[in-house]
Amino acid sequence: MDSLILISSCMQVAMGTALLLLWLIDKRYLYVRLWGWSAVLLGVGLALGIALVPEHMDGARGDAQAFGASLAVMASLYLLMAGARAYRDLPWPHRRWAAALGLAMVLIVGLSRVQLSYAVLAAAIILAAGNWLSAAWIGLGTRSRGERLVGLSLLASGGVHAIGPVLDPLSRAPLTHALGLTVQTILSLGLILLSVARAHREVREQADRFSRLAEHSLQGLAVLRGGRLLYANRAALAIFGYAELGQAQRADLHRELVPPDLQPAAEQRHAQVMARADARVEWEGPRLSHDGRSLYVRGLSSQIEWDGAPAELQALIDDTARQHAIQALRRQALHDELTGLPNRNFAVEQLQRLTARSDPFALISADVDRFQLINETLGHELGDELLRALGERLCRELPAQAMLARLGEDQFIVLLEGMADAAGAQREVERMLALLEQPFSVGGQVLFVHLSAGVALYPQDGRDAPSLLRAADSAMHRAKALPGNSYVFFDKGMNRAARARLQAEQALAQAIQAGEILLEYQPKFRAGTRRLCGFEALARWQRPDGTRVSPAEFVPAAERTGQIKGLGELILQTAIAQLRDWHARYAAVPTVAVNVSPLQFEDADFAQQVLRMLDQAGLPHAAIEIEITETAAIGHLGHVLPQLERLKRAGVLCSLDDFGTGQSSLTMLRKLPISTMKLDRSMVEPLPRADAAAVLRATCALGHSLGLEIVAEGVETEDQAQALEALGCTQLQGFHLGRPLSAAAAGELLAQARS
């Protein structure tokens, strides 16, 4: 009998060991390990608690053996139940169950000291309950045959534990242990088979899952070894235009899909991946599809074990659409949308490429003259058609080495590579301008187009792209001053002039705020008596270091930048303040002439502002004389005439400056409400020549007939002064009689005149 129980215990240990070995093969399944240790501990518990118990066991040895058997049996039951919960992925409150089984173990040990049969009965009940719970957790109604077998075996095992004390108080009945051996063997085998079956099922499910993922992935997957395709998913087949895997496997993919110039790189990458298990090589490039389409593919190659041998796994993305989009964006970034020509970005890139070399070349910057007028009168649509037609004609007729680009609105540039000298560049620019002798027919209109072109040469006119563009633009703007189709070669003086203009524009606003603009006063004298009769206020820009900026530079700069209004207001304020000071010092208020830009008249409040300044200073309105040039008045007559009429009605004197230089002088004398006409120095300089005197005599007679003061400026000699007096001029102004004076010096001259 004891031998049968020992055999049963050994079988339990053997089955448990088999489960543990199974778990070592794949450690993902926790329940296999739990069931293995459960079987081992059950075998140990049966041996210590039943098979190896003597007839009469008492004392410390008996207690120790009973405690060991009880611990092994309760631990076995704990692990069996924990394995069942783990198999079903159910939570396991281990502390609560460990405490419960610990109390059960204490109960069994305590009962063994009273009566061994009581301990056996308690153990049998607990084991039966634990087995039946485990059977319920694993499930008797499941469709899996293995799970039903284990569930029924657990029920039977619980039944064997339950009937053991019934057949024999110490559970030593042969039938009990024969049934127990059979049931436990079937249970252990069932647990082994269940574990193996579930592991295989999960492996199959995982393989199927990954197969589905691969087949439904938008990313292409292909496995190759040598030149042979082992596997390709649907996405990979679709990328390269194959209908099914067999068709792709029969093809010579390396020759069919990889362009010839890229085949060596593909072979080298395959060898690199096959040589190293941890290789990961990213690549991208052109490919061909089975039906001849051009593709652009991005891929990641790595090594994979396939059918027991290494192979190359390629993860592929069809990047053709994105590459086309990138190329379209690049073209959009580097080409002009209207004409299709290269744009500024592309031209600058080409210039940077050419300037990085030492080969000479020429750059032509060309601008369509009066293009804004075409847009304003005929519409932007026709203007766009004209630009397209111009670009097409130039592209068609320019030499092969020339690159034409559109920089903006109506500006084009031509790059002439290999152009080593000015003579060659001159021939090409003249040839380009000759292309415009024939008109353009656009939108039902026949239009003649003129270009102004500037030419810069590398390396003498600039050693980088920005400086060459600036040089060509400077020359082009100089050419715009010439009539018709014209061109100008760049010279260094243009840069200096442009830099001076820029510096003047940038510094002018600060100069106005910092008080660097001051006035000098050039005296005017009454003809005949040579007595002081007034001054002309002349603006001067004196920098803090004492250097001066010519009015010929900063006045045009003020008009270009719109700062002329602020500058003009400052000049008026300064002149009126000086008049007030002279009136306080010398009780004299001479007339001071102030040059006014026609842009100041665009302010509808200009006349009122002048009158307000005079009234606030307590000065008579005749203390200020407003000077405006004839040319400026013609161009802004609509703004100038109403303001001058208002000033004249209020008593402010008005003067027509530079008379004799315009083309409508007589008309202006009739239209403008002036009190003075000021002869330009170009009329005074030839005196006392007879022809000059005749013109001046007629002019003075005309002025007298209109009741005007006649001022001659630029009087440099006494002969000129005497001739002007004889011819009828009423006032003289010039270096011969008096140079421009500071405010203090002019005040002293005024004091002398009063004495």
Side-chain angles (χ1 to χ4, degrees):
M1 178 58 202
D2 291 340
S3 60
L4 181 61
I5 298 173
L6 281 174
I7 291 172
S8 177
S9 300
C10 291
M11 286 293 293
Q12 287 293 324
V13 173
M15 293 299 180
T17 303
L19 283 167
L20 290 173
L21 291 174
L22 180 62
W23 174 76
L24 288 173
I25 295 173
D26 191 344
K27 296 183 178 181
R28 290 178 299 165
Y29 306 109
L30 174 64
Y31 55 86
V32 178
R33 186 183 67 171
L34 295 173
W35 286 341
W37 282 114
S38 174
V40 170
L41 291 173
L42 180 60
V44 173
L46 289 175
L48 292 177
I50 299 176
L52 300 179
V53 176
E55 289 290 335
H56 301 285
M57 183 179 69
D58 53 10
R61 180 176 177 272
D63 291 342
Q65 187 169 339
F67 177 80
S70 176
L71 178 61
V73 170
M74 291 300 105
S76 170
L77 182 60
Y78 175 87
L79 294 174
L80 176 67
M81 297 168 69
R85 301 286 291 187
Y87 180 82
R88 285 300 181 197
D89 294 323
L90 297 172
W92 175 243
H94 58 91
R95 292 183 179 178
R96 186 172 63 190
W97 282 102
L101 293 176
L103 290 174
M105 182 187 69
V106 172
L107 174 64
I108 293 170
V109 172
L111 291 174
S112 69
R113 300 195 63 174
V114 177
Q115 180 68 39
L116 183 58
S117 60
Y118 295 163
V120 172
L121 177 60
I125 294 172
I126 293 171
L127 287 171
N131 277 264
W132 291 337
L133 272 175
S134 297
W137 289 335
I138 289 180
L140 299 174
T142 180
R143 294 182 179 180
S144 169
R145 293 180 180 179
E147 291 176 354
R148 287 203 300 272
L149 174 62
V150 170
L152 291 172
S153 298
L154 287 169
L155 281 177
S157 176
V160 171
H161 287 304
I163 66 172
V166 175
L167 298 177
D168 183 89
L170 297 179
S171 290
R172 290 188 173 186
L175 180 59
T176 300
H177 289 285
L179 290 173
L181 177 60
T182 303
V183 170
Q184 287 297 327
T185 301
I186 294 172
L187 175 60
S188 297
L189 289 173
L191 291 175
I192 292 173
L193 293 175
L194 184 62
S195 300
V196 171
R198 183 168 185 180
H200 284 177
R201 184 174 68 252
E202 291 186 359
V203 168
R204 285 195 305 272
E205 289 176 353
Q206 187 176 26
D208 182 64
R209 186 161 52 245
F210 280 109
S211 175
R212 288 176 178 271
L213 286 174
E215 287 303 312
H216 292 88
S217 173
L218 295 177
Q219 185 181 61
L221 296 173
V223 180
L224 304 98
R225 185 183 294 125
R228 181 166 160 259
L229 177 68
L230 304 178
Y231 167 79
N233 67 349
R234 295 177 186 175
L237 295 173
I239 287 173
F240 293 102
Y242 290 105
E244 44 89 20
L245 179 60
Q247 181 187 15
Q249 289 177 324
R250 291 189 295 271
D252 185 350
L253 300 182
H254 191 66
R255 294 182 178 276
E256 186 172 309
L257 305 184
V258 183
D261 57 325
L262 298 178
Q263 289 177 7
E267 293 172 357
Q268 182 181 4
R269 182 178 63 253
H270 181 74
Q272 179 184 350
V273 170
M274 296 295 287
R276 291 179 51 198
D278 61 344
R280 287 174 59 87
V281 183
E282 294 185 20
W283 54 273
E284 60 181 277
R287 290 292 185 270
L288 301 172
S289 70
H290 174 63
D291 51 6
R293 291 177 294 113
S294 295
L295 305 173
Y296 193 93
V297 178
R298 294 170 57 207
L300 172 64
S301 293
S302 58
Q303 190 183 111
I304 186 175
E305 184 177 336
W306 196 270
D307 294 335
E312 178 185 359
L313 171 64
Q314 291 185 353
L316 307 169
I317 295 177
D318 184 359
D319 206 35
T320 307
R322 191 176 75 93
Q323 287 298 317
H324 286 166
I326 290 174
Q327 291 173 4
L329 288 174
R330 178 170 175 78
R331 176 171 179 79
Q332 184 178 358
L334 297 178
H335 286 77
D336 174 52
E337 185 177 356
L338 176 65
T339 62
L341 295 172
N343 63 9
R344 175 179 288 274
N345 295 331
F346 188 90
V348 169
E349 282 189 6
Q350 291 298 102
L351 280 172
Q352 290 172 340
R353 178 181 64 82
L354 293 174
T355 53
R357 307 181 327 200
S358 58
D359 300 334
F361 65 90
L363 173 64
I364 302 172
S365 176
D367 192 82
V368 181
D369 294 338
R370 296 173 299 283
F371 181 72
Q372 187 60 36
L373 182 61
I374 294 174
N375 276 341
E376 291 175 355
T377 56
L378 302 178
H380 288 272
E381 293 80 5
L382 190 140
D384 290 345
E385 287 187 41
L386 177 61
L387 291 175
R388 280 193 290 268
L390 176 59
E392 290 171 2
R393 183 182 293 185
L394 292 176
C395 276
R396 188 171 57 249
E397 302 296 338
L398 285 173
Q401 75 272 21
M403 188 207 79
L404 176 67
R406 181 186 177 215
L407 292 196
E409 184 66 14
D410 57 349
Q411 185 180 3
F412 297 81
I413 67 163
V414 179
L415 269 173
L416 297 169
E417 294 191 46
M419 195 61 62
D421 57 8
Q426 181 177 353
R427 285 193 302 272
E428 292 302 331
V429 71
E430 289 177 348
R431 182 170 176 269
M432 182 179 78
L433 296 179
L435 297 175
L436 305 180
E437 293 178 358
Q438 296 299 319
F440 292 86
S441 179
V442 291
Q445 299 282 338
V446 177
L447 299 174
F448 285 88
V449 173
H450 297 103
L451 288 181
S452 298
V455 186
L457 302 175
Y458 174 80
Q460 54 264 48
D461 295 336
R463 293 189 172 273
D464 54 40
S467 60
L468 278 169
L469 282 171
R470 286 196 301 269
D473 284 348
S474 294
M476 179 265 290
H477 287 298
R478 184 69 62 88
K480 274 193 167 295
L482 304 176
N485 290 317
S486 56
Y487 66 89
V488 171
F489 276 79
F490 174 78
D491 65 59
K492 301 296 182 182
M494 295 179 186
N495 258 351
R496 290 192 294 270
R499 190 176 296 111
R501 286 197 303 271
L502 178 62
Q503 290 174 347
E505 291 176 3
Q506 294 297 318
L508 183 58
Q510 183 178 356
I512 293 173
Q513 292 180 355
E516 295 177 12
I517 306 298
L518 52 85
L519 295 184
E520 289 186 343
Y521 300 88
Q522 186 169 24
K524 295 190 292 186
F525 297 91
R526 180 65 59 185
T529 63
R530 307 283 177 94
R531 291 182 62 83
L532 180 69
C533 61
F535 295 96
E536 180 181 2
L538 303 174
R540 299 290 186 258
W541 179 359
Q542 183 165 304
R543 298 182 183 275
D545 60 3
T547 59
R548 287 193 171 187
V549 180
S550 169
E553 294 181 12
F554 72 80
V555 172
E559 291 183 333
R560 286 194 302 271
T561 60
Q563 298 179 85
I564 190 65
K565 295 180 180 179
L567 178 62
E569 183 177 351
L570 174 64
I571 291 172
L572 274 169
Q573 288 175 344
T574 305
I576 290 174
Q578 188 59 61
L579 279 167
R580 184 175 56 188
D581 179 68
W582 285 339
H583 181 264
R585 286 174 178 267
Y586 312 116
V589 183
T591 299
V592 173
V594 177
N595 288 279
V596 175
S597 167
L599 298 179
Q600 292 177 256
F601 286 97
E602 292 181 358
D603 182 359
D605 194 43
F606 172 72
Q608 186 60 37
Q609 183 182 10
V610 173
L611 297 175
R612 187 165 52 248
M613 289 181 183
L614 290 168
D615 292 339
Q616 289 175 351
L619 296 173
H621 291 176
I624 285 292
E625 184 176 41
I626 300 297
E627 287 190 1
I628 184 168
T629 63
E630 175 188 359
T631 303
I634 293 173
H636 300 78
L637 192 60
H639 293 107
V640 171
L641 188 58
Q643 302 262 30
L644 288 182
E645 288 176 343
R646 184 174 184 182
L647 289 171
K648 184 177 182 181
R649 287 195 301 270
V652 177
L653 303 176
C654 301
S655 171
L656 184 63
D657 197 9
D658 297 339
F659 183 83
T661 60
Q663 299 177 352
S664 305
S665 299
L666 299 181
T667 302
M668 285 299 101
L669 287 177
R670 180 177 59 84
K671 284 187 175 182
L672 294 177
I674 58 175
S675 58
T676 303
M677 69 175 183
K678 196 170 186 180
L679 305 179
D680 187 72
R681 64 179 61 246
S682 61
M683 300 181 69
V684 174
E685 185 179 5
L687 291 176
R689 278 175 21 201
D691 55 347
V695 172
L696 274 171
R697 182 178 296 106
T699 302
C700 291
L702 177 62
H704 287 309
S705 67
L706 295 173
L708 301 177
E709 289 278 353
I710 303 169
V711 180
E713 64 177 345
V715 181
E716 306 292 339
T717 66
E718 180 61 27
D719 290 341
Q720 291 174 341
Q722 291 178 6
L724 289 166
E725 288 173 329
L727 292 169
C729 287
T730 60
Q731 296 180 25
L732 305 177
Q733 178 183 346
F735 280 8
H736 174 63
L737 300 173
R739 292 177 175 271
L741 303 172
S742 66
E748 293 177 1
L749 180 62
L750 180 61
Q752 293 173 7
R754 296 289 294 170
S755 61

